[in-house]
Amino acid sequence: MSGSQMRPAAHSLVPADTTEDVRTRGAGVSRQVAVLPVGSFEQHGRFLPLATDTLVACAIAREITAAHPVHLLPPVTISCSHEHAAWPGTVSISSVTLHAVIRDIAASLRRSGVDALVLVNGHGGNYVLGNVVQESSARGERMALFPAPEDWETARVRAGVETSLLTDMHAGEIETSILLHAHPELIRPGYETSDFVADDRRHLLTLGMSAYTDSGVIGRPSLGSAEKGKGLLASLADSFGAYVSLLTSADDSVADTGDA
C-alpha cells in the first residue's frame, strides 16, 4: 500500500495526519520509521527563496512518504548556515542546538513507539547531522541520514543532470530543478543567467561562501528543468527503500546507519 493511500495529500510543509492516521499506519508495519526533513533559511541567490533547502528536504520527504509507509514530520526550518552570513536574510542556530533538537525529537518518537528516525537533509552545511547519526547508532538507536552522496549521484545520472556534484554546490542545477518541479511559483527571474563555477573551495569553512561567489550561486542553475526535478525525486524515493529495509530489520545490532 502506498503512502498516498494512507494519508491526505500534503500540499504544504506541515503534514496533515491525524493521530488516528499515525496509529493506523503503525499497526501495519513491523517497526515504525519517522522521516524528519531538515532544511535551512539562507541565501540562494536572487532567484531562489531563503527557504530553498527546507522546500527541497520537504519535497524529498513527501516523495518518500508517497512510496513507503513512514511517518512524515514537520521540517526543521533553521539550521547551520553560518557560511552564508554575509548575505541578508540568512539565519542560523548553533550546531550544538541542532544536535540537541534532533536528539530530543528522536527520544520523543521512541517514547511514542516510533524507534527509527531518518533525517532528510536539504543543506550541505549541516555537518553535525552525521555526528548525531553516528552517536545514536553507537548507542543502539536506529537513525539514518538521507540522501547520501551516492544517492544524489545516482539521482543526478538518472535525471539527466549535467552538472557534477562538486560543481553543483549551491542554488545550481539540482536545487533549481527540484523547485521548478515542486514549487515553480516561488522561483524569481534570473536563474537562466546566474551560472557561476568555483570548484576549488578548500577554505570555505574558514572564509565562508562570500570568498567564492558574489551572487551567492555556485553551480549552473540555467540547466535546471522541472523534468529533471521530477526525475531526481523519483530516484531518491527508490534509493530510500534500502534505508527502510535496514532500519526495520529484525537485527537489533544495526550499525553504521549514517553510511547506509
Side-chain angles (χ1 to χ4, degrees):
M1 181 179 293
S2 72
S4 60
Q5 294 174 298
M6 291 183 284
R7 61 164 61 80
H11 298 293
S12 69
L13 299 186
V14 180
D17 279 344
T18 67
T19 188
E20 194 60 33
D21 293 328
V22 175
R23 179 180 291 113
T24 300
R25 192 179 310 115
V29 296
S30 59
R31 192 183 298 272
Q32 297 186 64
V33 178
V35 171
L36 177 66
V38 183
S40 72
F41 199 74
E42 65 187 34
Q43 72 84 20
H44 277 77
R46 70 179 190 267
F47 54 89
L48 294 182
L50 293 161
T52 290
D53 289 342
T54 299
L55 295 168
V56 167
C58 287
I60 296 170
R62 285 196 302 269
E63 197 79 10
I64 287 170
T65 57
H68 304 279
V70 297
H71 303 303
L72 177 61
L73 300 176
V76 175
T77 57
I78 297 177
S79 59
C80 302
S81 300
H82 310 282
E83 70 274 26
H84 298 275
W87 283 271
T90 297
V91 182
S92 291
I93 58 176
S94 72
S95 61
V96 173
T97 299
L98 182 57
H99 191 297
V101 167
I102 300 302
R103 285 198 61 183
D104 283 355
I105 290 171
S108 178
L109 287 167
R110 288 194 298 274
R111 287 193 294 271
S112 69
V114 181
D115 60 355
L117 175 62
V118 181
L119 311 177
V120 176
N121 182 34
H123 172 47
N126 287 334
Y127 312 113
V128 70
L129 296 182
N131 299 117
V132 177
V133 171
Q134 287 178 324
E135 293 166 13
S136 298
S137 299
R139 290 191 297 270
E141 300 163 8
R142 292 176 181 253
M143 189 181 292
L145 182 60
F146 182 83
E150 294 84 356
D151 300 312
W152 276 119
E153 179 61 18
T154 297
R156 185 188 72 81
V157 173
R158 282 183 54 180
V161 170
E162 299 176 45
T163 316
S164 70
L165 295 181
L166 172 65
T167 299
D168 195 60
M169 188 261 188
H170 190 70
E173 185 177 1
I174 287 177
E175 290 184 321
T176 301
S177 292
I178 291 176
L179 260 66
L180 282 170
H181 169 65
H183 296 283
E185 73 283 0
L186 299 180
I187 298 183
R188 310 286 180 89
Y191 74 90
E192 305 91 342
T193 58
S194 294
D195 292 5
F196 184 78
V197 174
D199 285 351
D200 186 345
R201 305 182 296 268
R202 69 187 71 191
H203 301 300
L204 177 67
L205 297 181
T206 301
L207 300 176
M209 283 280 290
S210 60
Y212 296 97
T213 172
D214 292 330
S215 67
V217 176
I218 297 180
R220 296 190 178 95
S222 69
L223 299 176
S225 73
E227 182 179 4
K228 291 176 183 177
K230 182 178 180 180
L232 285 162
L233 294 178
S235 177
L236 291 173
D238 289 344
S239 294
F240 190 77
Y243 291 74
V244 173
S245 296
L246 177 63
L247 292 173
T248 58
S249 167
D251 182 4
D252 287 328
S253 63
V254 171
D256 295 329
T257 55
D259 297 325

